[in-house]
Amino acid sequence: MHGRLKVRTSEEQAEAKRRDKEKKVKWYRQTTTKIFNKRALGEKDDELLKLTGEVLLENSDLSTMWIIRREIIEIRLPTLSDDVTEFCQNELALLERCLRSNPKAYCIWVHRQWIMDHTPNPNWDQEKRLCDLFLSYDERNFHCWDYRRYVVKKAQISVDEEFAFSTEKIATNFSNYSAWHYRSKLLPLVHPSTNEEGNIDSDAMQREYELVQNAFYTDPSDQSAWFYHKWLLGRGKKSLAIGCGLIQREHTTCVHVAFNQPVLPTAKHPIVVLVNNTPVIQVTKSDWPKSLWSCDLLISDRENVSIKVKLEEISFELTLKEGEKEVWFINDVESIFQVMLTSASPEILTSELIMCRELLQLEPDNKWCLLSTLQLLEAIDPMLHHVEILNLFDKLVSTDPYRKGYYLDLRSRHAIGFILREHLMNFDPTRPLDLSDKGLTHLDYTEYMIMHKHINLRSNQIRSESLQGLVNFKSVQTLILDNNSLKEIPPSLNELTVLSSLSLDNNDIRNMESFSLLKGMRSLKKISIRGNPVCEIHNFVDLMKTYFINIENVEF
Amino acid sequence: IIMGTPVKDVQLPDNPAIKSLLLDKHASYVEAFEKNKDDYDYCMTEFLRISGIYWGLTAMDLMGQLHRMNKDEVLEFVQSCRHPSGGFSPAPNHDPHLLYTLSAVQILVLYDKLEILDVDSVVKFVTELQRPDGSFTGDKWGEVDTRFSFCAVATLALLNRLDAVNIDIIVKFILSCMNFDGGFGVTPGSESHAGQIYCCVGALAITGRLYEVKADQLGWWLSERQLPSGGLNGRPEKLPDVCYSWWVLASLSIIGRIHWIDKTKLTEFILACQDEETGGFSDRPGDWVDPFHTLFGLAGLSLMGNKEVKPVNPVFCLPQDVMDRIGLQCKLLK
């Protein structure tokens, strides 16, 4: 089915082939009918072994034939004495013949494993040699790699030996992704860190960095080493912290808490909300982890009240004074924006950066190197290296256009992070959050925009799926979405209870359906919809006025 | 810097005949395929026959041509593949297996004929193949593969019987097959492969645990499957193949990152895999066609929004209107 080139043949050749195939089909049908009949009659004899062997040599993908052989062999084996080894060797020889012409058939490797599980005198050296042989034919044959792992386990070969094997395979060919993959499993077992559980010894890490560097310098476009490099630099964890919080009081007291990462509460680790130190709400489960959690409390506003939110060992506590309508707080800003979670030390990050920069001098258009440099800068100091990071993203988009969607989404996250981080460090909720004209394709970090009253997203290319995040604009009064090629109004706007001014100029909104989804928004007083095809609909202003009961001003 | 290894890829032929989607030819190809039962290749693929039927029927339905297939003959065939254990074999006299049980259920869902099933016996067959570590074997002979985890949960989901298994342990096993690159392999320790990734990501979607996927990491790895020709491979340093337009693209779609590959270029590649003489799609331009690649070429185009074919569901690889009819939805990532 795969890799069969359509070659033109002469009439004669085609006819000869046709007759030959016809004969084969006839033979196949006769033989398989005979096999199934014998099986049905329980004739688990030599003839059945012979027939299934013949069919399998013609078509080794027929897994039922291998099964029939197993049914015969499992009865036969206990009856054999001296001849048992020869019998098994014959079966292994048949298997090897089939593997040579069909090395990627699951059922053949499965049968071989079954034989090795059942043979009384397994020869694991022989199996290891078979694996070496088949990996020499195709070093990426994952069936063979998986079978090799089985053999290694059975033969109790040490992880050190296997680690050396992976080194050898990589030395022969840096482009052996299968070997690098295997290495990623062995490294933590062979060189565990003495002080940190699950981590890798630092000297060993240093040798790994040298190994990948060798690979890059030999062939900078060999991707295997770059994937491995990314893994070496990663494997970091973000400690749980609260990013920011907001308490809004209208009819109810609404508490919003944004953690620095998505959390999934459990019965053992619930999110607890306490009012004046008394637990009132416990969230013990959720279908989906998320960063932003909200709940409604019924509290009198006639007195001071303390509200505390707790998860594991972290908590925040706020006091809402009598009559106070809104209180917010900002806690750990920096950890919100950590994207490059690295376990590498600052020294390693710096030396890797130097190495990448040197390589970029030689290969300025190498996208692997550009991306690694970018990620190292993000890990080291994304604020300080902001301009260079943006330039690297732009270079990546031009040198590797197929992955433009990926680069632009990551670039959006970085651009938003840069602005929002500075905002939160010196927070003033009345200061507009200006994200206009930043080339945004994706709206990130909206959980940390819960307190902003004015948000400007003009002139971007934010995808409609990404606009789900708008529901998190809990405090927004003025929202500008001009010039985003929007085909419809994001339905999530419906949830914004204090939105009073909405601008949607120069988008591509064509019909009133979008607006009808927002019916009943009481807070909306002003809407600007200039430069949208929907303006052509002759009574659209009247319709708008029926949807938004408090609307005062429609600009079109 | 010494050498550079050439990128393994194909050259797209410059053939104006296949620059557009030849739906009529593909429909004729699939319709005729089942009729040529004496063909050598047809005969030799008996070991997957029922899956072949599922591929053909789904391709026809995506093209709006399901009515051209012989429904009665198909249903009779499916019945003939039913095994006393509750599972289905690929063809009469062959042994039952999870792969073919899923195909049987998918065919019955397409034809809205689930009622002919003894659902309890199918559920029993599936659940008895689960091991204590949460993995599934394909049949009683013990082969473990994350493909079978997908077959198991997809079969149960289509029968509305996910209640029959412990989801947590199934997910635990799948996650134990996650690798350094965010991808998934056949078993714990196996290398990442787009086909296995589709199965694991699909299974996590069905069990409501997609949040366990390292979406950015995996999405990037998947986007790197796109080669200069526009085609997608299944893992690094491999040739592109139209079936990866499904495994890779569906995975990206499920994790909300289908826009991380270049759709125009992939479309060009898929169309170049059409055969204007015989109809059907092949794995890469110039090779022989088959129903497997025909389905996945069409399904890939559908996922990218091609309006000439019906929308396809990225988890179950069935037309979306069929999924809507049975009311089965999975929350996907955005």
Side-chain angles (χ1 to χ4, degrees):
Chain A
M1 275 200 306
H2 283 92
R4 289 167 55 222
L5 190 58
K6 201 171 146 174
V7 171
R8 304 213 165 279
T9 55
S10 71
E11 283 282 336
E12 271 176 20
Q13 285 174 313
E15 181 55 27
K17 256 194 173 163
R18 198 194 57 81
R19 272 184 273 117
D20 183 49
K21 293 245 158 107
E22 212 175 86
K23 261 172 59 187
K24 281 213 164 117
V25 168
K26 204 167 166 196
W27 164 84
Y28 170 81
R29 284 209 173 118
Q30 281 169 349
T31 316
T32 53
T33 303
K34 202 162 179 197
I35 289 170
F36 290 133
N37 285 339
K38 281 180 75 72
R39 187 194 196 188
L41 291 169
E43 289 168 22
K44 298 187 181 171
D45 55 21
D46 280 336
E47 193 196 8
L48 195 50
L49 268 180
K50 177 170 164 289
L51 291 171
T52 50
E54 281 171 13
V55 171
L56 283 167
L57 281 170
E58 183 64 31
N59 183 358
S60 49
D61 285 312
L62 291 165
S63 70
T64 298
M65 296 295 155
W66 291 112
I67 289 173
I68 293 172
R69 289 183 82 78
R70 293 200 278 276
E71 285 172 351
I72 300 168
I73 294 171
E74 78 185 340
I75 303 176
R76 184 69 63 90
L77 274 182
T79 69
L80 302 170
S81 50
D82 302 330
D83 37 352
V84 72
T85 308
E86 193 191 333
F87 182 86
C88 291
Q89 282 296 110
N90 286 340
E91 192 68 8
L92 293 174
L94 169 65
L95 282 161
E96 192 169 332
R97 269 181 81 179
C98 292
L99 278 176
R100 270 183 215 262
S101 54
N102 201 358
K104 300 193 206 175
Y106 292 90
C107 55
I108 309 178
W109 294 99
V110 164
H111 188 73
R112 192 168 185 105
Q113 185 170 324
W114 188 90
I115 296 293
M116 294 308 294
D117 280 340
H118 288 80
T119 184
N121 311 307
N123 183 343
W124 298 113
D125 278 338
Q126 182 181 344
E127 294 311 288
K128 195 148 166 280
R129 282 197 302 275
L130 178 94
C131 289
D132 287 341
L133 180 65
F134 277 85
L135 283 182
S136 76
Y137 296 151
D138 176 4
E139 63 185 7
R140 301 294 305 285
N141 185 333
F142 66 80
H143 302 270
C144 188
W145 279 100
D146 288 347
Y147 187 72
R148 192 202 157 81
R149 275 181 274 273
Y150 158 77
V151 169
V152 158
K153 194 167 170 197
K154 285 284 193 175
Q156 295 178 316
I157 295 172
S158 71
V159 283
D160 294 274
E161 242 186 276
E162 286 302 281
F163 192 70
F165 177 72
S166 79
T167 309
E168 186 199 307
K169 281 288 172 204
I170 287 166
T172 317
N173 180 7
F174 277 124
S175 184
N176 191 336
Y177 196 93
S178 308
W180 288 104
H181 159 80
Y182 195 27
R183 201 178 177 81
S184 76
K185 297 290 183 196
L186 297 165
L187 184 63
L189 298 173
V190 176
H191 295 295
S193 161
T194 44
N195 43 26
E196 262 178 277
E197 208 207 292
N199 231 330
I200 297 164
D201 168 72
S202 44
D203 288 338
M205 283 297 280
Q206 191 50 46
R207 290 193 295 273
E208 293 302 294
Y209 283 114
E210 281 159 28
L211 181 64
V212 292
Q213 267 189 48
N214 263 339
F216 302 150
Y217 275 92
T218 308
D219 179 6
S221 51
D222 167 31
Q223 53 189 293
S224 314
W226 290 104
F227 278 107
Y228 191 77
H229 186 238
K230 182 161 204 290
W231 174 72
L232 288 176
L233 287 174
R235 299 172 308 105
K237 281 192 171 33
K238 194 190 267 203
S239 308
L240 182 64
I242 288 177
C244 60
L246 168 70
I247 304 180
Q248 285 173 317
R249 183 181 267 170
E250 278 297 313
H251 312 288
T252 60
T253 302
C254 195
V255 181
H256 305 285
V257 180
F259 294 92
N260 67 347
Q261 59 194 283
V263 300
L264 191 67
T266 58
K268 214 170 164 193
H269 298 292
I271 298 176
V272 187
V273 181
L274 303 97
V275 175
N276 294 330
N277 279 313
T278 308
V280 294
I281 289 181
Q282 270 210 93
V283 186
T284 54
K285 62 176 187 163
S286 174
D287 282 341
W288 212 265
K290 46 186 186 160
S291 308
L292 180 62
W293 291 83
S294 307
C295 68
D296 273 322
L297 303 171
L298 286 169
I299 310 175
S300 155
D301 67 348
R302 303 258 184 77
E303 54 202 28
N304 293 353
V305 65
S306 106
I307 295 174
K308 185 170 178 182
V309 177
K310 218 163 90 84
L311 172 62
E312 294 174 34
E313 338 75 54
I314 63 156
S315 65
F316 92 89
E317 185 163 6
L318 273 184
T319 305
L320 201 55
K321 298 205 191 65
E322 167 195 347
E324 204 169 6
K325 290 271 176 210
E326 176 186 281
V327 102
W328 50 267
F329 91 107
I330 292 169
N331 187 38
D332 185 344
V333 174
E334 198 166 309
S335 75
I336 293 171
F337 301 102
Q338 263 180 300
V339 281
M340 278 307 296
L341 296 177
T342 180
S343 54
S345 66
E347 292 78 39
I348 292 193
L349 292 175
T350 310
S351 72
E352 289 304 298
L353 180 62
I354 292 170
M355 185 271 298
C356 278
R357 285 202 197 287
E358 277 173 7
L359 194 50
L360 264 183
Q361 297 276 61
L362 301 163
E363 302 257 321
D365 291 340
N366 181 316
K367 65 115 178 267
W368 303 101
C369 199
L370 288 166
L371 186 57
S372 289
T373 305
L374 190 160
Q375 287 168 339
L376 283 160
L377 291 173
E378 276 193 312
I380 292 168
D381 191 340
M383 299 298 273
L384 180 64
H385 299 292
H386 170 67
V387 173
E388 190 181 353
I389 289 172
L390 286 181
N391 289 338
L392 284 166
F393 273 121
D394 293 339
K395 185 96 206 266
L396 279 164
V397 168
S398 70
T399 50
D400 187 21
Y402 285 12
R403 275 150 284 273
K404 185 167 135 172
Y406 169 67
Y407 299 130
L408 289 178
D409 277 1
L410 253 55
R411 188 186 186 284
S412 301
R413 177 187 307 164
H414 174 80
I416 296 173
F418 180 75
I419 294 169
L420 187 57
R421 188 169 174 165
E422 188 271 313
H423 248 249
L424 293 176
M425 295 290 219
N426 315 287
F427 190 60
D428 168 7
T430 62
R431 179 181 162 210
L433 180 61
D434 187 0
L435 294 170
S436 64
D437 204 12
K438 295 282 174 276
L440 305 180
T441 51
H442 175 64
L443 202 54
D444 230 316
Y445 299 124
T446 55
E447 299 90 345
Y448 313 103
M449 298 176 194
I450 50 180
M451 309 160 307
H452 289 80
K453 298 197 191 300
H454 310 287
I455 300 177
N456 184 351
L457 289 164
R458 174 190 296 126
S459 296
N460 286 296
Q461 297 100 44
I462 303 177
R463 290 172 305 113
S464 53
E465 297 80 25
S466 195
L467 287 171
Q468 293 263 30
L470 293 181
V471 303
N472 296 335
F473 291 175
K474 308 282 184 198
S475 307
V476 82
Q477 295 166 359
T478 315
L479 179 58
I480 304 173
L481 286 167
D482 300 351
N483 217 342
N484 267 282
S485 312
L486 296 178
K487 291 204 156 36
E488 55 174 32
I489 303 190
S492 39
L493 287 180
N494 213 329
E495 316 230 358
L496 304 184
T497 54
V498 295
L499 178 64
S500 78
S501 168
L502 173 64
S503 185
L504 290 158
D505 293 347
N506 301 316
N507 279 297
D508 195 27
I509 298 167
R510 299 178 169 266
N511 57 49
M512 294 304 293
E513 264 163 66
S514 281
F515 291 99
S516 70
L517 285 174
L518 301 178
K519 257 190 251 193
M521 275 182 79
R522 311 184 77 86
S523 55
L524 201 57
K525 294 201 166 53
K526 173 174 176 223
I527 190 165
S528 183
I529 191 93
R530 284 182 279 241
N532 279 279
V534 74
C535 299
E536 311 292 304
I537 298 176
H538 78 275
N539 65 338
F540 101 97
V541 175
D542 297 325
L543 281 169
M544 296 263 268
K545 289 191 169 149
T546 64
Y547 293 154
F548 305 120
I549 38 197
N550 291 321
I551 202 101
E552 290 163 3
N553 194 354
V554 179
E555 298 198 19
F556 63 100
Chain B
I1 313 296
I2 305 159
M3 55 202 176
T5 31
V7 175
K8 251 179 159 159
D9 197 1
V10 298
Q11 199 63 335
L12 295 191
D14 189 21
N15 182 352
I18 53 176
K19 289 230 191 302
S20 63
L21 184 54
L22 309 169
L23 284 180
D24 289 336
K25 285 225 160 269
H26 301 317
S28 301
Y29 165 73
V30 174
E31 188 181 5
F33 188 84
E34 273 303 304
K35 301 199 170 125
N36 196 358
K37 294 191 180 8
D38 294 329
D39 174 75
Y40 176 81
D41 288 321
Y42 181 90
C43 217
M44 291 301 139
T45 52
E46 191 177 71
F47 68 92
L48 52 69
R49 180 67 58 238
I50 202 171
S51 293
I53 291 173
Y54 152 70
W55 299 327
L57 292 178
T58 307
M60 289 303 263
D61 199 0
L62 287 178
M63 293 189 277
Q65 304 296 314
L66 186 60
H67 56 274
R68 284 159 67 170
M69 303 301 276
N70 190 331
K71 178 174 177 175
D72 291 332
E73 192 182 293
V74 167
L75 292 176
E76 208 183 293
F77 181 81
V78 170
Q79 295 273 40
S80 75
C81 294
R82 193 210 305 255
H83 194 264
S85 62
F88 284 78
S89 60
N93 296 310
H94 290 244
D95 283 16
H97 196 281
L98 268 183
L99 290 169
Y100 308 116
T101 304
L102 173 60
S103 292
V105 171
Q106 283 169 311
I107 292 169
L108 295 176
V109 168
L110 267 173
Y111 275 139
D112 201 7
K113 281 283 178 191
L114 280 177
E115 72 257 20
I116 71 171
L117 279 180
D118 173 1
V119 173
D120 287 336
S121 74
V122 180
V123 171
K124 181 162 175 282
F125 176 77
V126 172
T127 55
E128 280 176 359
L129 291 170
Q130 185 175 21
R131 279 153 132 245
D133 67 355
S135 65
F136 281 86
T137 60
D139 58 20
K140 68 182 193 195
W141 295 96
E143 182 193 2
V144 171
D145 187 323
T146 46
R147 287 179 300 154
F148 309 149
S149 302
F150 174 78
C151 290
V153 298
T155 302
L156 293 175
L158 288 170
L159 298 176
N160 200 14
R161 292 297 309 275
L162 269 178
D163 58 283
V165 284
N166 176 332
I167 298 293
D168 286 340
I169 192 96
I170 292 177
V171 170
K172 187 166 179 219
F173 175 76
I174 293 173
L175 296 178
S176 75
C177 299
M178 195 190 295
N179 294 318
F180 77 106
D181 44 27
F184 297 85
V186 174
T187 56
S190 302
E191 184 184 342
S192 299
H193 180 286
Q196 312 295 143
I197 289 169
Y198 164 77
C199 290
C200 291
V201 167
L204 290 172
I206 292 169
T207 54
R209 300 283 290 269
L210 265 179
Y211 58 80
E212 307 271 12
V213 172
K214 300 205 191 318
D216 283 344
Q217 168 81 63
L218 179 57
W220 174 56
W221 190 92
L222 289 168
S223 77
E224 287 294 345
R225 299 305 105 238
Q226 189 164 34
L227 295 165
S229 65
L232 306 179
N233 63 18
R235 50 189 174 130
E237 311 292 354
K238 292 280 177 166
L239 287 171
D241 182 329
V242 136
C243 67
Y244 292 114
S245 310
W246 178 257
W247 310 126
V248 172
L249 219 55
S251 303
L252 280 170
S253 179
I254 294 169
I255 63 173
R257 284 151 172 80
I258 198 172
H259 60 287
W260 283 7
I261 56 110
D262 185 313
K263 291 183 185 175
T264 309
K265 282 295 185 181
L266 177 57
T267 300
E268 262 175 51
F269 176 85
I270 296 175
L271 292 177
C273 293
Q274 298 178 104
D275 186 322
E276 78 264 33
E277 287 175 358
T278 58
F281 291 75
S282 57
D283 57 350
R284 52 192 75 98
D287 281 0
W288 285 103
V289 301
D290 60 54
F292 176 82
H293 292 96
T294 302
L295 169 61
F296 295 127
L298 291 169
L301 290 172
S302 171
L303 274 183
M304 289 193 285
N306 184 304
K307 294 280 177 260
E308 294 180 83
V309 285
K310 281 195 202 174
V312 70
N313 180 284
V315 175
F316 292 90
C317 195
L318 286 167
Q320 185 55 48
D321 59 10
V322 170
M323 300 308 300
D324 294 340
R325 190 214 323 129
I326 64 172
L328 184 53
Q329 274 182 354
C330 297
K331 178 171 169 170
L332 307 182
L333 295 184
K334 292 237 183 260

